[in-house]
Amino acid sequence: MTDSSTLKEVVRHLEAHKRFISPVIKNLDTGETFHASELNSRVPKGVDPSQLSKDRRRLDLGELVCMPVLGLIPPTMKPNTITYINHVANWMLLVMAAFSPILPVRWQMFVLCLCAVVNFLCMMLDCLDGMHARATNQTSKLGEVLDHWFDAIHVPMVCGGVAFALQFSTWALTITMVLQVALYGAQLIVYHYQRVFLQTSGVEGQALTSLIYIWAATLASYPDDHYLVALTRTGLSVIGPVTMIKLSWYFITRMDRVQLHDLGLIVAVCSAFAALCIVGILSRFEFLLVISFISFRVIGSYVVDSVLQRPHPGIDPAIYHWYIAVSLSMGCLDSSTDSSIQHHNRLIGIILSHFVAEPIPIRTFFSRLVPLIGDWSFDSDVHQLLPYGMCVDLGLRNVAQFIKAKPRFVQK
């Protein structure tokens, strides 16, 4: 029989070391674990701790589909390699979906079915990189950053691809894209300020997207005025935004004034470019690319700053400068006369020179650079490349920020 004093010593020992024996909460989205006693400091007020991980009562589609495949991945493969493959696959998906409407019917049906397959593979790859990292003990800050960093551009690309495949109206396309960026932005803003990644249904949503692609392939053989085509376009162009608003509200109710301000800026910037698309200054495809790279630049910066646990400096001013360049050079100047064309081209030179001469405050760069331009002018067609130049510039800025911060991600 055990002495009672011995039992008391055991109890005291266990209480002194309860950190190592008490339940541990795991965030299945990031792989992060922490002790239950840290809930008061790690979980923001008003948030149910159960929202940090998936509801075990609900079918985990990602785990159900990916578990049989997980064992086939070589243990030596780096999880980040899966992430890079997923990124390439998402670009393939965007190109196929965006250009499917101009293909002959049979090819359009084939490409849309292929989009459904590639989209489902992207969903699996997005799950497998984290699952493989945890299964092989290769989790890292770098992997966490890459996962959410690439999602910042993948999310609007997937959304825009579906809108193009179903040939949404311009209004439906712009509203859907802006709300999708706002939804993912709200999720990352909460993550940045409150240090929790609240659970969503992204996997299920992407699986549903594959079914939508298959349905779009079926509708490709019907004329545009068929009631099924009209019903599908109208229904999804209403259901999609309403669902995004509802999901965004889930995050908005958990934000304070500073976080709401950040989200409002994202919505305002995206809405400004949406207006350029609605009035015809930007084409639909240019708008899709521009919004995707704005999301990549802005929300991707939140990802980097969140993992490094440093304050977010705000939206990159280059986005505002590019908006001025695109709107003025492409839409607000009359190029019907030679003098207007010369002034039109000179303005483009001023705007583009600003990026060479940075940093110059936006309130002074006009007066500083006008004397330097002189008679230098561009060909009148150069302005058509500005949206693509904007995408390249924002992409390179984001990559430069990532490369600069990368040594801190790989630190042990």
Side-chain angles (χ1 to χ4, degrees):
M1 180 177 294
T2 306
D3 188 271
S4 59
S5 60
T6 304
L7 288 176
K8 291 180 180 178
E9 291 178 1
V10 171
V11 170
R12 284 196 297 269
H13 175 79
L14 292 177
E15 288 179 347
H17 297 79
K18 66 178 181 179
R19 168 177 291 273
F20 304 102
I21 64 172
S22 296
V24 172
I25 293 177
K26 183 175 184 180
N27 184 340
L28 296 182
D29 292 304
T30 63
E32 183 183 21
T33 59
F34 55 93
H35 187 259
S37 62
E38 297 179 277
L39 280 176
N40 292 333
S41 59
R42 299 296 295 273
V43 180
K45 184 178 181 180
V47 175
D48 184 354
S50 64
Q51 294 168 343
L52 295 176
S53 58
K54 295 179 174 60
D55 187 351
R56 292 300 180 182
R57 296 171 296 180
R58 190 184 71 185
L59 177 66
D60 190 334
L61 181 61
E63 185 175 339
L64 178 67
V65 174
C66 295
M67 282 303 293
V69 182
L70 183 62
L72 302 178
I73 302 177
T76 55
M77 175 177 282
K78 298 294 184 182
N80 293 341
T81 303
I82 302 175
T83 306
Y84 295 134
I85 295 174
N86 183 32
H87 183 62
V88 174
N90 271 277
W91 276 107
M92 294 172 55
L93 174 62
L94 174 66
V95 172
M96 290 189 297
F99 291 97
S100 62
I102 66 175
L103 299 175
V105 174
R106 289 189 176 181
W107 278 105
Q108 185 179 355
M109 295 176 67
F110 171 76
V111 169
L112 289 175
C113 288
L114 188 59
C115 285
V117 175
V118 174
N119 181 77
F120 197 81
L121 289 175
C122 289
M123 180 207 74
M124 293 181 62
L125 292 172
D126 196 27
C127 296
L128 283 170
D129 55 3
M131 294 173 65
H132 178 64
R134 291 187 287 272
T136 57
N137 196 27
Q138 298 185 68
T139 57
S140 64
K141 283 187 176 181
L142 178 61
E144 180 185 357
V145 170
L146 284 175
D147 188 13
H148 299 304
W149 192 63
F150 279 133
D151 281 346
I153 192 171
H154 293 168
V155 169
M157 284 167 57
V158 171
C159 178
V162 173
F164 266 78
L166 292 171
Q167 302 180 48
F168 276 12
S169 66
T170 301
W171 274 97
L173 171 67
T174 52
I175 292 173
T176 303
M177 292 286 291
V178 171
L179 289 176
Q180 182 64 78
V181 174
L183 172 58
Y184 191 63
Q187 189 176 20
L188 265 297
I189 287 173
V190 170
Y191 177 52
H192 175 72
Y193 284 100
Q194 304 182 19
R195 306 305 304 150
V196 290
F197 204 85
L198 299 179
Q199 176 60 29
T200 60
S201 302
V203 174
E204 292 82 354
Q206 197 162 358
L208 179 61
T209 301
S210 291
L211 296 179
I212 294 176
Y213 274 121
I214 294 175
W215 180 243
T218 304
L219 295 179
S221 60
Y222 291 88
D224 285 343
D225 57 354
H226 194 276
Y227 77 94
L228 281 178
V229 177
L231 183 62
T232 299
R233 289 175 182 169
T234 304
L236 290 178
S237 62
V238 172
I239 294 174
V242 169
T243 303
M244 293 174 195
I245 292 174
K246 180 180 178 182
L247 293 174
S248 298
W249 187 252
Y250 171 77
F251 296 103
I252 290 173
T253 55
R254 291 160 173 78
M255 292 181 176
D256 59 21
R257 183 176 300 178
V258 174
Q259 297 163 39
L260 289 173
H261 175 267
D262 287 6
L263 180 61
L265 282 179
I266 294 176
V267 174
V269 168
C270 293
S271 299
F273 281 94
L276 297 184
C277 179
I278 291 172
V279 301
I281 294 177
L282 288 176
S283 71
R284 290 157 57 89
F285 185 69
E286 289 170 349
F287 170 72
L288 190 158
L289 287 180
V290 165
I291 289 297
S292 297
F293 276 91
I294 288 175
S295 174
F296 187 44
R297 180 69 185 116
V298 177
I299 302 178
S301 297
Y302 273 105
V303 173
V304 173
D305 293 333
S306 297
V307 175
L308 294 181
Q309 298 186 17
R310 65 186 185 190
H312 187 263
I315 294 180
D316 189 342
I319 297 177
Y320 305 129
H321 303 168
W322 275 112
Y323 179 79
I324 295 173
V326 173
S327 59
L328 292 183
S329 66
M330 298 183 69
C332 299
L333 292 176
D334 179 14
S335 59
S336 58
T337 63
D338 292 339
S339 60
S340 296
I341 292 176
Q342 185 177 7
H343 183 63
H344 171 273
N345 296 335
R346 190 170 296 176
L347 178 60
I348 297 176
I350 293 172
I351 298 294
L352 296 183
S353 297
H354 171 59
F355 298 102
V356 178
E358 278 190 296
I360 296 178
I362 192 170
R363 64 181 180 274
T364 61
F365 78 87
F366 275 108
S367 59
R368 296 267 188 102
L369 292 176
V370 167
L372 302 179
I373 297 300
D375 295 328
W376 177 41
S377 63
F378 287 90
D379 184 83
S380 59
D381 293 331
V382 169
H383 70 279
Q384 299 177 0
L385 300 178
L386 284 180
Y388 303 98
M390 174 182 177
C391 294
V392 172
D393 179 56
L394 295 183
L396 291 177
R397 287 171 180 269
N398 217 31
V399 171
Q401 180 192 28
F402 176 82
I403 293 175
K404 184 178 180 179
K406 186 177 179 180
R408 296 183 60 182
F409 298 146
V410 299
Q411 287 177 354
K412 298 296 184 181

